[in-house]
């Protein structure tokens, strides 16, 4: 194995020991920490720097209640108990920000604006990649995550993004996980099962 640039403790925090959490300690999560997550994750690469992710952080009981009807039953308690629920969405009109984000190629905005299918594929692909950056940024800041796709996207979009170009992608509970409630971790595919060296 190559010598990692990060020390083993950092790799444990990001990967080896980091678990998906469903039970949460009562320790709150500050708005500053939420801003810090975004200020880290935004540096992860996206195609043509399109950066299509938009995030709504639900921190109050009232805000979380608005989400409740869209959640699969299995996901209700763990979400309502989490200090924060993030709605990770993407903007189908992400290209409107390209004059700022990709200033050296002014034609890029219209390439997406004139090709809605390509824009949709780009938005979903890059927002999902940014979702991975989000999880790793949160972990790097000492938080635990509980990502979820078990919800009704149409209901979330109707509640939080009516008459808007934003579409929900996935949800992520955030907080400090109760490690005593974790079940044994499931295995992953080995290198030879998942990868080819050609
Ligand atoms: C995009 C995504 C959607 C997920 N959806 C759900 C969900 O709806 N409900 C749930 O309980 N877990 C959900 N999970 C959690 C996964 O089952 C979990 O991350 C996986 O089994 C790995 O667990 P570990 O991180 O503890 O090793 C989701 C994870 C991801 C990344």
């Amino acid at each position: 194995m190559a010598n990692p640039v990060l020390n083993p403790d950092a790799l444990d925090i990001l990967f080896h020991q980091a678990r998906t959490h469903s039970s949460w300690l009562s320790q709150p999560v500050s708005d500053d920490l939420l801003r810090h997550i975004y200020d880290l994750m935004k540096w992860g690469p996206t195609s043509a720097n399109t950066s299509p992710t938009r995030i709504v952080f639900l921190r109050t009981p009232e805000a979380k209640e608005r989400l409740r009807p869209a959640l699969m039953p299995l996901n209700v308690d763990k979400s309502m108990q989490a200090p924060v629920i993030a709605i990770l969405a993407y903007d189908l009109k992400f290209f409107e920000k390209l004059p700022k984000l990709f200033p050296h190629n002014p034609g890029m905005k219209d390439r997406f604006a004139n090709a809605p299918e390509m824009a949709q594929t780009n938005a979903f692909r890059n927002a999902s990649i940014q979702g991975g950056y989000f999880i790793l940024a949160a972990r790097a800041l000492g938080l635990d995550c509980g990502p979820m796709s078990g919800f009704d996207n149409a209901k979330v979009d109707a509640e939080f993004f009516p008459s808007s170009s934003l579409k929900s992608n996935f949800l992520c509970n955030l907080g400090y996980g109760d490690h005593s409630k974790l079940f044994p971790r499931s295995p992953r595919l080995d290198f030879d099962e998942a990868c080819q060296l050609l």
Side-chain angles (χ1 to χ4, degrees):
M1 286 277 186
N3 247 354
V5 176
L6 298 181
N7 69 39
D9 288 346
L11 294 178
D12 280 350
I13 287 165
L14 294 176
F15 295 105
H16 297 120
Q17 301 297 331
R19 294 293 310 275
T20 297
H21 282 267
S22 298
S23 296
W24 305 97
L25 304 177
S26 54
Q27 189 176 344
V29 175
S30 71
D31 289 357
D32 274 354
L33 208 40
L34 302 178
R35 289 176 185 279
H36 202 165
I37 294 173
Y38 181 74
D39 282 336
L40 286 177
M41 66 163 282
K42 71 183 181 186
W43 295 113
T46 54
S47 49
N49 203 26
T50 44
S51 311
T53 289
R54 306 291 180 263
I55 304 170
V56 180
F57 292 104
L58 310 177
R59 310 115 70 237
T60 63
E62 296 75 28
K64 289 198 272 176
E65 281 303 320
R66 290 175 58 192
L67 183 69
R68 183 193 285 271
L71 292 171
M72 269 177 39
L74 178 80
N75 287 330
V76 171
D77 287 347
K78 64 182 79 163
S79 303
M80 293 302 141
Q81 283 164 13
V84 177
I85 314 169
I87 303 175
L88 284 105
Y90 52 92
D91 188 355
L92 287 173
K93 295 210 171 138
F94 63 87
F95 45 79
E96 288 178 350
K97 306 272 190 212
L98 285 185
K100 169 180 175 168
L101 295 171
F102 210 57
H104 52 284
N105 187 343
M108 196 57 90
K109 176 183 170 187
D110 285 343
R111 280 187 58 190
F112 284 113
N114 295 328
E117 206 171 310
M118 183 172 84
Q120 204 282 338
T121 302
N122 184 85
F124 184 64
R125 175 185 297 131
N126 286 286
S128 298
I129 292 171
Q130 287 188 286
Y133 305 148
F134 175 92
I135 291 170
L136 291 177
R139 288 175 171 177
L141 296 173
L143 288 165
D144 291 306
C145 295
M148 295 175 294
S149 50
F151 68 98
D152 185 327
N153 291 71
K155 281 188 184 166
V156 169
D157 296 350
E159 177 64 27
F160 292 94
F161 312 125
S163 321
S164 147
S165 54
L166 300 198
K167 300 286 169 204
S168 55
N169 186 0
F170 70 98
L171 308 173
C172 191
N173 292 332
L174 289 170
Y176 298 91
D178 182 348
H179 291 245
S180 72
K181 300 277 171 43
L182 286 172
F183 53 85
R185 198 174 205 185
S186 300
R188 302 300 201 254
L189 298 179
D190 294 330
F191 182 90
D192 290 336
E193 295 174 282
C195 310
Q196 299 179 58
L197 292 168
L198 300 180

